Amino acid sequence: MDLNGDDEDFEWEPPTEAEMKVIQARRERQDKISKLMGDYLLKGYKMLGECCDVCGTILLQDKQHKNYCVSCQELDSDVDKDNPALNAQAALSQVRERQLAAQSPAPSQAQELNGGPGSSQPNVSVPRPEHCEGAAAGGRGLLPPLAVLPPPAAPSPSVPATTTTPAPARPPVPPQSAAIQPVVQEAEEAVLAKLRWATNQLQSSASLEASIRLCSLITSCASSLRSLKELSQ
Amino acid sequence: MVLVEHLNLEHVLQTVSVLESVVLRSFGPEGGQVLFTRDTGQAMLSRSGTCILTALRLEHPLARIVVECALKHGSVTGDGSKTFILMLASILRMIHSTACKEPNVSHTYNSRDVSEATAARRLADELLAFVLEELDDLIATGVVPYGCCLSWEDFTAKPQLPADKNNHCVQKLLASFFQTRLGCTHSDFISDLTCELLTHWKFKNDQPSLSLQFVNDNFPALHTSVSGFPISCSRLIEGQVIHRDFATPCPQTDHKPVKAVVFTGYLQPKLLSAGEVLELRSGEQGKEGSFVQFNTWAERSLEGVFANLQSLGVSVLLSGVKQSAAVLALAAHANMCAVECVSEDELSLFAQLSGARPISDCWMIEPDNVATLTFCQPILLGAHRYVHVAFNDLEERLTIKPCSLIICGPGEGQTDQCASAFQDAIRMLLSTWEPMGRTASTASKRTLQSNKRTSFHKDDQIRNAPVFKPGCVIPAGGTFEFLLNHALLQQARSCLVSDDANMGFPAVSQLLANALLCVPRQIYSHSPRCFLQTQTALLSFIQNHSPPFSLVYNQEHNTVLTQGQDKSECPLVEGKQCMHCCREADKSSKGFMLDLGLESVSCKCQLLLAVLQCVSSLLHVDTVLHIHTQSRRLANISSEGTEDEAED
């Protein structure tokens, strides 16, 4: 297959350890899917000729003619576990990463972050998982790549630190005249912040999968911004 | 609306993996049974791969292709549909991992998927070409020397001594087959019954495959399923059982030979059907005749036919269609018994065995249409009454003793299973004894290649001769796969060393060798240590003892392949001597090679070929067009896959 000796980008190299883990995890997941599907076939489900739109797995149909996707409805999603908006662990690991990265250069940024809502702690506190869970449960109803919209009223001090994933700077929201305006404005700000963060991540990202996911996040941020602009008009 | 769906390798792999997970748990000697239930409350236990795969509800076109290929293979060799799926999945996985490593030249192909698919397709074609060329030689050198050849004569001879090894082998082959199908309890009994049946049906001085083919083709007419009795009640009875009851009362005969005729058409022709007009004319002037006259004429002609039959001494009428009431009345009046609606294959078997031609035109009844039977009487089997006939002069004419099989089972499902196990056993024996010759095309290809190769040279005279002798068996339990794996790896190594022109073959044989090991790995899945032990023992055995040495004799006496602990070298002159000293070695170490019986080499060979052809067909599918119509059959034809042929 090596037609033109075009080797720089496309030569096969043995996968790095991280990639090996990803490959291994994916293979295990596929095996699990196959086993579950085999069990369902033996229970009398029908294997259809169509694939699920979300994950691409083959669909099954039960005796009541209801379609069923094994990977979406039974297994935890492959992608969700890395999305900080939906998973406490991912949020936790992301905050820790941020802490490590922003430890020396910007203690003031952290203060600014927590200054507005009036947190008493000088440093960025590592958020407790329960808050994450609550927020994650609230955010699970939305599509995975879309960032969760902040709740209209944000009473607790630690909520902004967790649900909106510490952005470098979150400008305070000035009160507007119309009732719906502040909400839309807040939403736009949040989405923009997320967009900014994703761009930063993308610039420093080294892995292919992460870059793909970040690009899709940016796409969905842009589309949500568009719909918010329509809403405000 | 036509939906166009492009396939990628992952999709194919997932489909086959799902089917693999379905059959995996029933695979092997430790495999479990699947309980089939219906809404009506009927339940059936089965381990047969054909049963499981047909019961799945599949609408996915690729899955349907795979299942059909597996079933077709099973219908030829009688076994191995689960192994088919297992090997298919394993080979596809190996191809997938190899194809992913190909360098992606993205400016030639649009995406990684497409380049992977192309690489996979190329690998599959190479595999198939490799196997078509090299497999027979590899098996002849690497596998057959370690097996033993069963001959047809030994098979049918009754075992005179308990130490009669050859017959023991044949019983063993059948017993291990029935063990996988019906369980251990009845396998010996059923295999004895099968041997007896085949002994009776052996055409003397003929190829074994002819009589096996005859029994296989006529099996539906040769067996009767009776449910409600234990399996051990199955037996053979002489003659043929016609699966219909008498339509007229059967007169009591006093042990005289009975004459019978076979009618394929109606005795009283149906002149009036719905929507037709019958025009009656009488006399030369063409005056309109009356219906009464017509009726009288019809009756008189029928009486004439019966008078003819009585003059020939016929007392039994076998008819393939339902005769009219007038015919039956006349038959009863003339003291003849009639059997109606006999199926075509039973009638043809009857005609073959009795030597009488069936009557198509009832006006022309010749003496050679009349068959002579020893008796023709009703027989009560289970809840049904059938007709039992025995043929008179068969010994002189055909030199066989025809007999019919009565298969009993506790329930209808089990009896059907037993019957299909019987038929599959006959098919398996047929493919064991069928000489594995080559077609003209592959032979000519080989003679072209033989100039380049340093291995095997074949003369032109023996071009169409079978590569290895028919009837070859080896111990079951993965031995075939281990041996072939070893042979493939050796060949790959020697190809690299000798710097062969064909660079692709070592990679392909490596791929195939690794894929083959999935079968023994699954057989010994309950104990991975057992797998490694068996493999090591077998390989060390091969290295220590040069061929021909039969592992079959080794296994019979439960000997152990010691791992070099035993210092005594066995003399390689005769198998018996080697068994002797191996038995002494047995006492020192414990045996771990499971005695799993025997399996046929040619069945395995055909399986491998069928799997690779299926792989090639699957990977050549580019696009699936979904046509949403009411008819399910049309939706299946919409995919562009090709059917697999079981023979090459």
Side-chain angles (χ1 to χ4, degrees):
Chain A
M1 274 299 161
D2 198 356
L3 290 180
N4 294 342
D6 211 342
D7 289 340
E8 324 75 298
D9 303 43
F10 308 121
E11 184 69 42
W12 180 80
E13 288 156 357
T16 64
E17 207 177 293
E19 282 170 5
M20 275 302 289
K21 281 200 192 141
V22 169
I23 290 174
Q24 185 72 15
R26 198 176 299 155
R27 197 181 302 158
E28 276 172 13
R29 190 186 146 81
Q30 290 298 329
D31 286 344
K32 232 184 278 179
I33 290 178
S34 303
K35 187 167 182 311
L36 280 172
M37 281 184 74
D39 287 344
Y40 277 112
L41 278 182
L42 282 172
K43 278 191 203 146
Y45 279 53
K46 192 197 285 195
M47 181 197 259
L48 297 177
E50 295 141 14
C51 294
C52 175
D53 298 323
V54 173
C55 57
T57 327
I58 301 175
L59 284 175
L60 296 171
Q61 192 185 69
D62 63 4
K63 302 242 175 73
Q64 280 78 37
H65 301 287
K66 207 165 58 111
N67 288 4
Y68 183 77
C69 173
V70 171
S71 69
C72 290
Q73 285 166 340
E74 247 183 69
L75 295 179
D76 297 326
S77 161
D78 199 15
V79 183
D80 274 356
K81 72 172 172 43
D82 291 324
N83 190 345
L86 292 176
N87 190 345
Q89 288 302 330
L92 212 61
S93 55
Q94 195 164 52
V95 167
R96 285 213 179 96
E97 277 172 33
R98 294 234 138 247
Q99 270 186 326
L100 283 170
Q103 199 109 58
S104 41
S108 53
Q109 268 186 339
Q111 284 197 351
E112 193 188 327
L113 193 72
N114 290 313
S119 166
S120 52
Q121 295 154 359
N123 324 334
V124 176
S125 58
V126 176
R128 285 175 292 151
E130 301 94 81
H131 293 272
C132 302
E133 275 305 316
R140 216 183 281 277
L142 307 170
L143 292 173
L146 183 62
V148 68
L149 297 175
S156 70
S158 49
V159 162
T162 61
T163 56
T164 60
T165 67
R170 185 163 173 250
V173 177
Q176 297 283 320
S177 47
I180 201 171
Q181 277 303 95
V183 176
V184 173
Q185 196 82 13
E186 266 184 29
E188 278 184 7
E189 300 298 349
V191 175
L192 276 169
K194 192 50 99 177
L195 197 61
R196 229 172 279 134
W197 169 80
T199 324
N200 285 338
Q201 285 291 307
L202 188 62
Q203 277 166 0
S204 58
S205 159
S207 124
L208 178 65
E209 298 302 333
S211 313
I212 291 175
R213 284 210 289 271
L214 287 166
C215 285
S216 65
L217 176 59
I218 292 174
T219 320
S220 37
C221 285
S223 62
S224 49
L225 271 176
R226 201 181 309 128
S227 42
L228 284 171
K229 291 243 177 331
E230 285 172 9
L231 194 64
S232 60
Q233 280 161 9
Chain B
M1 190 191 75
V2 172
L3 209 84
V4 176
E5 181 196 325
H6 288 280
L7 286 180
N8 61 356
L9 201 50
E10 306 259 346
H11 200 88
V12 177
L13 199 55
Q14 185 173 64
T15 318
V16 180
S17 306
V18 170
L19 288 174
E20 187 199 17
S21 69
V22 168
V23 298
L24 208 59
R25 276 178 296 178
S26 323
F27 177 74
E30 312 276 323
Q33 306 207 40
V34 177
L35 176 66
F36 297 90
T37 54
R38 283 212 185 120
D39 289 338
T40 53
Q42 282 173 299
M44 194 183 71
L45 278 174
S46 175
R47 205 189 279 145
S48 146
T50 324
C51 237
I52 299 175
L53 289 171
T54 12
L56 295 176
R57 297 167 69 204
L58 300 169
E59 255 188 29
H60 195 278
L62 284 182
R64 289 173 79 96
I65 292 178
V66 170
V67 165
E68 268 199 56
C69 290
L71 292 179
K72 263 216 184 138
H73 169 79
S75 72
V76 170
T77 59
D79 198 14
S81 24
K82 291 190 293 246
T83 323
F84 184 98
I85 304 271
L86 224 70
M87 265 207 210
L88 187 69
S90 161
I91 289 181
L92 275 173
R93 261 185 225 122
M94 302 282 330
I95 288 183
H96 176 61
S97 59
T98 317
C100 289
K101 294 181 194 164
E102 297 278 330
N104 299 321
V105 193
S106 78
H107 56 262
T108 317
Y109 297 105
N110 290 335
S111 71
R112 230 177 114 220
D113 278 348
V114 178
S115 68
E116 263 180 28
T118 324
R121 206 169 295 155
R122 187 180 50 90
L123 274 171
D125 290 337
E126 272 179 23
L127 259 175
L128 190 57
F130 169 74
V131 158
L132 283 173
E133 262 195 54
E134 305 278 328
L135 187 69
D136 287 340
D137 297 337
L138 277 171
I139 290 187
T141 48
V143 177
V144 171
Y146 300 104
C148 84
C149 277
L150 307 173
S151 66
W152 186 240
E153 271 65 39
D154 294 334
F155 159 69
T156 50
K158 279 265 178 273
Q160 304 298 328
L161 312 151
D164 194 340
K165 291 181 282 293
N166 282 333
N167 205 4
H168 196 54
C169 279
V170 177
Q171 307 285 76
K172 206 164 183 192
L173 175 65
L174 281 171
S176 51
F177 175 83
F178 282 117
Q179 217 168 25
T180 61
R181 282 302 180 89
L182 302 173
C184 318
T185 332
H186 302 285
S187 56
D188 285 326
F189 169 72
I190 300 273
S191 62
D192 288 338
L193 200 60
T194 318
C195 282
E196 222 186 297
L197 173 75
L198 290 170
T199 318
H200 285 290
W201 279 104
K202 181 175 169 249
F203 297 138
K204 292 199 179 66
N205 310 324
D206 247 340
Q207 291 269 347
S209 39
L210 279 178
S211 67
L212 282 172
Q213 187 76 46
F214 182 82
V215 174
N216 185 33
D217 292 338
N218 290 301
F219 192 75
L222 279 174
H223 84 282
T224 314
S225 300
V226 180
S227 44
F229 293 90
I231 292 186
S232 45
C233 284
S234 311
R235 61 192 186 279
L236 292 175
I237 57 171
E238 72 164 312
Q240 185 187 356
V241 173
I242 297 180
H243 300 105
R244 283 276 177 264
D245 195 7
F246 286 107
T248 58
C250 174
Q252 295 295 326
T253 51
D254 44 353
H255 305 290
K256 273 192 308 191
V258 163
K259 294 208 199 289
V261 287
V262 175
F263 284 104
T264 52
Y266 292 99
L267 276 170
Q268 187 179 30
K270 270 203 168 97
L271 291 168
L272 272 177
S273 325
E276 284 181 2
V277 175
L278 181 66
E279 212 178 309
L280 299 170
R281 292 195 187 281
S282 75
E284 302 83 21
Q285 284 89 12
K287 273 195 303 200
E288 250 189 57
S290 75
F291 191 66
V292 176
Q293 274 181 326
F294 169 72
N295 243 3
T296 328
W297 169 81
E299 270 174 39
R300 229 176 279 140
S301 57
L302 206 54
E303 278 165 21
V305 170
F306 271 94
N308 199 358
L309 287 173
Q310 266 181 321
S311 69
L312 287 168
V314 170
S315 51
V316 176
L317 303 174
L318 295 171
S319 160
V321 296
K322 186 154 176 62
Q323 303 289 350
S324 64
V327 170
L328 292 178
L330 274 171
H333 186 74
N335 241 2
M336 298 184 198
C337 47
V339 185
E340 297 179 309
C341 303
V342 184
S343 68
E344 249 188 71
D345 39 358
E346 283 176 23
L347 280 182
S348 74
L349 179 66
F350 183 88
Q352 277 182 313
L353 292 177
S354 62
R357 270 186 312 117
I359 302 171
S360 41
D361 181 8
C362 55
W363 302 107
M364 313 248 295
I365 303 179
E366 316 269 307
D368 68 341
N369 293 120
V370 177
T372 318
L373 309 168
T374 319
F375 58 79
C376 173
Q377 62 201 20
I379 181 172
L380 189 65
L381 291 172
H384 301 276
R385 215 168 72 133
Y386 297 127
V387 172
H388 183 200
V389 299
F391 302 96
N392 210 4
D393 51 354
L394 222 51
E395 295 289 339
E396 302 91 47
R397 267 190 306 111
L398 287 176
T399 68
I400 50 169
K401 251 184 70 178
C403 58
S404 194
L405 186 59
I406 295 180
I407 303 175
C408 299
E412 213 182 289
Q414 277 97 324
T415 324
D416 286 339
Q417 258 196 85
C418 209
S420 53
F422 260 106
Q423 182 150 28
D424 287 339
I426 303 215
R427 284 193 190 127
M428 191 257 297
L429 286 177
L430 184 60
S431 46
T432 311
W433 258 283
E434 208 177 85
M436 289 282 291
R438 305 227 208 104
T439 61
S441 57
T442 51
S444 55
K445 216 194 318 179
R446 273 200 54 81
T447 49
L448 285 174
Q449 296 275 343
S450 64
N451 300 330
K452 298 180 202 163
R453 297 206 168 270
T454 53
S455 58
F456 259 90
H457 284 285
K458 282 242 182 270
D459 291 334
D460 284 345
Q461 301 147 323
I462 56 171
R463 187 189 304 178
N464 284 324
V467 184
F468 49 93
K469 288 202 316 217
C472 188
V473 296
I474 50 165
T479 319
F480 178 85
E481 283 82 19
F482 282 133
L483 291 172
L484 191 56
N485 165 276
H486 181 71
L488 280 166
L489 289 174
Q490 275 200 320
Q491 202 221 23
R493 256 176 256 138
S494 71
C495 261
L496 286 170
V497 163
S498 72
D499 196 26
D500 208 293
N502 257 322
M503 287 312 287
F505 273 4
V508 153
S509 46
Q510 186 100 26
L511 200 152
L512 188 59
N514 292 339
L516 275 173
L517 286 182
C518 73
V519 174
R521 214 171 267 139
Q522 199 48 46
I523 293 178
Y524 297 112
S525 61
H526 59 280
S527 146
R529 192 162 161 246
C530 205
F531 166 78
L532 288 171
Q533 275 179 337
T534 317
Q535 186 179 28
T536 336
L538 205 61
L539 290 178
S540 69
F541 193 82
I542 295 172
Q543 273 149 16
N544 292 341
H545 305 282
S546 58
F549 180 74
S550 177
L551 289 167
V552 174
Y553 296 131
N554 214 358
Q555 207 188 42
E556 273 182 20
H557 294 265
N558 242 346
T559 55
V560 166
L561 305 175
T562 58
Q563 291 174 349
Q565 294 163 5
D566 180 37
K567 297 294 177 241
S568 63
E569 287 300 312
C570 312
L572 296 174
V573 181
E574 265 238 314
K576 277 188 230 160
Q577 280 183 329
C578 203
M579 258 185 327
H580 215 45
C581 57
C582 275
R583 209 183 295 153
E584 281 157 17
D586 192 14
K587 299 194 177 78
S588 54
S589 40
K590 209 140 181 347
F592 52 76
M593 227 171 103
L594 306 178
D595 190 9
L596 292 173
L598 298 174
E599 60 187 10
S600 144
V601 169
S602 57
C603 288
K604 283 281 180 183
C605 197
Q606 278 185 297
L607 174 73
L608 197 53
L609 279 166
V611 168
L612 286 169
Q613 283 178 327
C614 188
V615 165
S616 180
S617 321
L618 278 180
L619 291 177
H620 275 280
V621 175
D622 273 325
T623 317
V624 175
L625 305 172
H626 291 276
I627 302 174
H628 293 286
T629 60
Q630 295 291 55
S631 161
R632 262 181 95 199
R633 224 180 288 143
L634 277 177
N636 296 338
I637 299 170
S638 67
S639 70
E640 289 174 16
T642 54
E643 282 278 332
D644 167 62
E645 305 298 330
E647 319 85 18
D648 56 332

